[in-house]
Amino acid sequence: FHINLYAEDNKKVYFAGGCFWCMEESFDKVEGVISVISGYSGGHLKNPTYADVVYTDSGHVEAVEITYNPKVLSYANGQFCDKGKSYRSVVFFSNKKQKDMINTSIKKLEKNFNKKIVTLVWKFDKFYKAESFHQNYYENNFIRYLMYKKGCQREETLKKIWN
């Protein structure tokens, strides 16, 4: 099975859901996803660094840029110990159709769980790629990443919510 990384019909989507390392690991496993890049989005500062995003009021959140094949995966598919503005849960939309799909999905989840969804819905503007140290962190620093992930109880929390 061969995926053309540069196919014109590939699409990009942007999500934020806490730590971008964890987002990268989760989306890398999804069939139809071509690439996942860690970065920052949603703020006012141009070309922010990790320190800008985490330690100043840049307005950015840790986010991922996902390139996917729309023939295999649709846009409408689906934080833990990460605290602070840069770890807010955000879904970015590029057009009205995406915004409508997001809002419909949120309303459905709120009804199913009988709770308010706190994921923010923002218009996508610009994505800034994070420093190379953060790319593929969960693979390149596997033991350190597992300790972080286990310490945050990410897996256990997700199982409690969805099972």
Side-chain angles (χ1 to χ4, degrees):
F1 180 64
H2 176 72
I3 296 176
N4 182 353
L5 294 176
Y6 304 103
E8 288 182 23
D9 55 350
N10 288 341
K11 305 276 186 202
K12 289 188 179 186
V13 66
Y14 301 87
F15 294 115
C19 170
F20 51 23
W21 301 335
C22 298
M23 298 283 291
E24 198 175 313
E25 180 195 20
S26 296
F27 283 104
D28 263 350
K29 296 174 182 176
V30 176
E31 186 178 349
V33 168
I34 296 162
S35 70
V36 183
I37 297 173
S38 291
Y40 317 107
S41 194
H44 55 82
L45 184 66
K46 291 186 179 188
N47 300 312
T49 64
Y50 179 78
D52 293 329
V53 173
V54 175
Y55 302 118
T56 72
D57 193 13
S58 68
H60 288 290
V61 293
E62 287 192 11
V64 290
E65 176 187 75
I66 301 165
T67 303
Y68 68 98
N69 180 338
K71 293 175 182 165
V72 179
L73 183 64
S74 72
Y75 173 79
N77 283 331
Q79 24 202 20
F80 306 86
C81 66
D82 306 313
K83 303 296 183 215
K85 282 184 160 185
S86 65
Y87 295 107
R88 289 173 286 176
S89 176
V90 181
V91 178
F92 297 91
F93 65 89
S94 297
N95 55 51
K96 185 180 180 334
K97 181 180 177 186
Q98 287 180 351
K99 184 179 181 182
D100 291 345
M101 290 170 73
I102 293 164
N103 287 327
T104 299
S105 180
I106 287 173
K107 285 176 186 161
K108 182 179 176 186
L109 286 169
E110 286 178 336
K111 186 177 178 185
N112 289 350
F113 285 96
N114 196 26
K115 291 187 178 182
K116 178 93 174 119
I117 300 293
V118 296
T119 297
L120 301 167
V121 180
W122 290 352
K123 177 146 182 48
F124 176 73
D125 180 38
K126 182 107 174 104
F127 179 80
Y128 299 96
K129 187 174 179 180
E131 298 85 343
S132 60
F133 171 79
H134 294 293
Q135 307 306 324
N136 303 308
Y137 185 91
Y138 77 93
E139 292 175 322
N140 297 333
N141 299 280
F142 187 68
I143 300 300
R144 185 177 290 154
Y145 171 72
L146 283 182
M147 289 175 14
Y148 161 81
K149 184 177 164 183
K150 184 74 175 159
C152 287
Q153 298 184 330
R154 191 174 183 97
E155 299 276 327
E156 295 87 346
T157 303
L158 288 172
K159 284 178 183 169
K160 281 182 198 174
I161 293 169
W162 295 105
N163 289 341

